[in-house]
Amino acid sequence: MSLKKSIVTLMTALTMFGTFQVAATQEIANAQTTSTYTSHLSKANLAAKKWIAYHESRGSYTARNGQYIGRYQLSSSYLHGDYSKANQEKTADRYVKARYGSWVNAKHHWKAYGWY
């Protein structure tokens, strides 16, 4: 096989490998963004949740402040590496329910101390 043919074969193989790798990465990214989560909150709790999101990150799912990540500025250890919108919403709901009982109570705490 000529040198030119070998180089073309090698480049083709590398291109195909890169394409498969990109496709797998894109598939993982899509899986993280296509999962959904629906919280069943009262209007008052939904309003308090939105208020906290605004005051923590201006509502951004990509906000970062040291170890705190996302819309609700949760510790990265709570999110376990999954920073998708669905996981941020679900994790924030679980955190608030366990710590404060409701988003309304969490908002009261935030107003008193500047954090929740």
Side-chain angles (χ1 to χ4, degrees):
M1 189 183 284
S2 72
L3 179 61
K4 184 178 178 181
K5 210 172 203 181
S6 297
I7 291 173
V8 169
T9 303
L10 178 62
M11 294 300 288
T12 303
L14 289 173
T15 302
M16 288 179 66
F17 176 73
T19 303
F20 291 133
Q21 203 169 25
V22 168
T25 303
Q26 187 61 43
E27 187 175 319
I28 291 167
N30 287 342
Q32 287 184 340
T33 58
T34 57
S35 64
T36 60
Y37 169 76
T38 304
S39 60
H40 303 284
L41 299 173
S42 68
K43 287 182 181 182
N45 277 300
L46 186 58
K49 184 177 183 180
K50 287 180 180 179
W51 186 94
I52 287 175
Y54 179 80
H55 286 82
E56 287 292 321
S57 67
R58 297 299 187 248
S60 171
Y61 287 102
T62 59
R64 285 185 173 253
N65 182 15
Q67 71 173 5
Y68 302 103
I69 297 171
R71 184 176 176 100
Y72 305 100
Q73 291 294 283
L74 298 167
S75 172
S76 59
S77 64
Y78 288 148
L79 296 169
H80 303 290
D82 180 358
Y83 305 137
S84 67
K85 292 177 182 181
N87 192 50
Q88 287 185 45
E89 294 291 336
K90 180 173 53 173
T91 303
D93 282 347
R94 274 190 275 164
Y95 168 77
V96 165
K97 185 175 183 179
R99 185 170 178 123
Y100 302 103
S102 73
W103 282 97
V104 171
N105 292 343
K107 181 180 174 182
H108 290 307
H109 185 276
W110 200 105
K111 283 184 159 185
Y113 299 100
W115 59 273
Y116 78 109

